[in-house]
Amino acid sequence: MLKKILIIPYFGKFNNYFELWLKSCEYNTDFDWLIFTDDKTNYQYPENVHVHYTTFENIKDRINNLFEFEISLDSPYKLCDFKPAYGEIFNEYITGYDYWGYCDTDLIWGKLSRFYTDDILKKYDRISDSGHFTLFKNTKEMVTAYRTLTALNCYSYKEVFTDRKNYAFDEWGSNKGLNRILLENNFKIYNRPICFADICIHSYGLKNTRIYYDSNEVKKKKYCIFI
C-alpha cells in the first residue's frame, strides 16, 4: 500500500470540532498527518497524527531561509499560498512516503482510500485540484514544480510569495495558479467530482452550498445522506 502524508501548519486555537476531525483521521489508517501548531490543548491524537509544537514565527523563519528573497507572510492565512512548497519546506518529514500533500481541518473525513485507491494514485501527479485536500507524487519534479515550472499568463512563485495578498496559488487562482501551470506542462491532475458536503453555515437546515453554484452532477443531488 502506498504511503501518504498530509502536512498542516496551524496556529491559534483549533475549532470546536477538532476532536471529530481527529477521529476521522484515526479511521484512515493508511494516511499519516503531520501538524505544526502552537495549540497545546491535551487532545487524544491517534497514532497516525504526528504533532510538533512550534510558533508561527519559527515556521516563517523556516520558509524564509529556503528562498533568496524576503517572503511576505504576515498571518497564518497566507500559508495557503505556500502549500505547494511544503514538499521542500518540510522535506525531511516526507522521506519514505510515496505521496505528500496538505489539507484543512474544517472538515470530517470519509474513507479516503475508497475514493483515492492506489491504482488511481499511480496514474496521476496531483490528486485533487482543491486546497482542502491535495496529494503530490513524491518525486523531485513534483516537490519543486511550484518554482521550476512556468506557464503563459500564470503567477510566478516569487510574485506570490512576496505579496501579502492571497492568490489561491495552491489551486486554480483565477486560472493562473498551480493547477493551470501543471496542466500546461502536461502533468496529470485527478479532479473527478465526488460527493463533498460543503455545508452552508448561514442555514439552520443542513444545506450543501454546492447546490447553489455547481454545474456538475452534484448540483442535481439536492437530497443526500452523508454517514
Side-chain angles (χ1 to χ4, degrees):
M1 184 173 289
L2 297 174
K3 295 185 65 179
K4 293 87 65 177
I5 188 167
L6 294 158
I7 303 168
I8 309 169
Y10 190 100
F11 300 98
K13 181 71 175 172
F14 283 114
N15 55 53
N16 61 1
Y17 53 90
F18 182 63
E19 290 175 292
L20 293 177
W21 182 85
L22 288 175
K23 180 59 69 174
S24 69
C25 292
E26 182 180 357
Y27 283 105
N28 282 282
T29 55
D30 52 336
F31 279 77
D32 284 341
W33 279 265
L34 177 63
I35 298 176
F36 297 89
T37 186
D38 56 1
D39 185 348
K40 296 184 179 181
T41 303
N42 187 27
Y43 293 111
Q44 296 298 311
Y45 287 99
E47 291 184 2
N48 59 338
V49 179
H50 312 283
V51 183
H52 292 264
Y53 294 110
T54 186
T55 66
F56 175 62
E57 287 301 319
N58 284 341
I59 294 298
K60 182 177 179 178
D61 289 341
R62 172 184 274 262
I63 299 174
N64 221 7
N65 292 335
L66 188 63
F67 302 105
E68 71 282 2
F69 51 82
E70 189 74 19
I71 64 168
S72 178
L73 185 55
D74 297 331
S75 70
Y77 185 71
K78 176 64 178 175
L79 283 167
C80 292
D81 278 334
F82 290 89
K83 285 179 176 180
Y86 283 2
E88 285 198 309
I89 297 168
F90 303 105
N91 188 258
E92 68 267 34
Y93 297 97
I94 67 173
T95 301
Y97 286 93
D98 300 293
Y99 286 81
W100 63 274
Y102 41 80
C103 66
D104 294 334
T105 61
D106 60 344
L107 46 76
I108 305 296
W109 300 112
K111 189 65 174 176
L112 290 168
S113 59
R114 292 182 181 176
F115 298 98
Y116 307 109
T117 65
D118 282 3
D119 287 341
I120 290 174
L121 294 181
K122 292 174 183 177
K123 295 177 183 177
Y124 294 89
D125 303 295
R126 171 175 173 145
I127 300 296
S128 174
D129 63 343
S130 301
H132 70 277
F133 171 77
T134 290
L135 288 173
F136 292 98
K137 191 172 288 185
N138 193 7
T139 61
K140 184 175 181 180
E141 60 183 353
M142 293 311 297
V143 167
T144 61
Y146 74 95
R147 63 177 174 82
T148 58
L149 300 179
T150 58
L152 184 65
N153 297 323
C154 287
Y155 300 129
S156 72
Y157 79 100
K158 186 173 182 179
E159 173 188 6
V160 173
F161 290 178
T162 56
D163 195 331
R164 65 185 303 174
K165 76 176 184 180
N166 190 281
Y167 285 75
F169 181 63
D170 58 314
E171 32 183 80
W172 289 104
S174 300
N175 214 26
K176 298 179 181 180
L178 187 63
N179 285 333
R180 175 53 54 197
I181 294 172
L182 290 174
L183 292 174
E184 292 295 327
N185 285 275
N186 299 314
F187 287 91
K188 295 181 179 180
I189 300 176
Y190 182 79
N191 61 348
R192 179 183 175 189
I194 62 173
C195 284
F196 169 56
D198 190 4
I199 303 302
C200 180
I201 63 172
H202 302 295
S203 170
Y204 285 105
L206 196 60
K207 291 185 177 181
N208 189 338
T209 62
R210 304 182 85 81
I211 290 174
Y212 303 112
Y213 61 82
D214 264 12
S215 59
N216 59 35
E217 60 191 40
V218 178
K219 186 173 182 179
K220 302 174 185 176
K221 300 176 180 177
K222 292 186 178 182
Y223 302 103
C224 300
I225 298 174
F226 291 86
I227 301 175

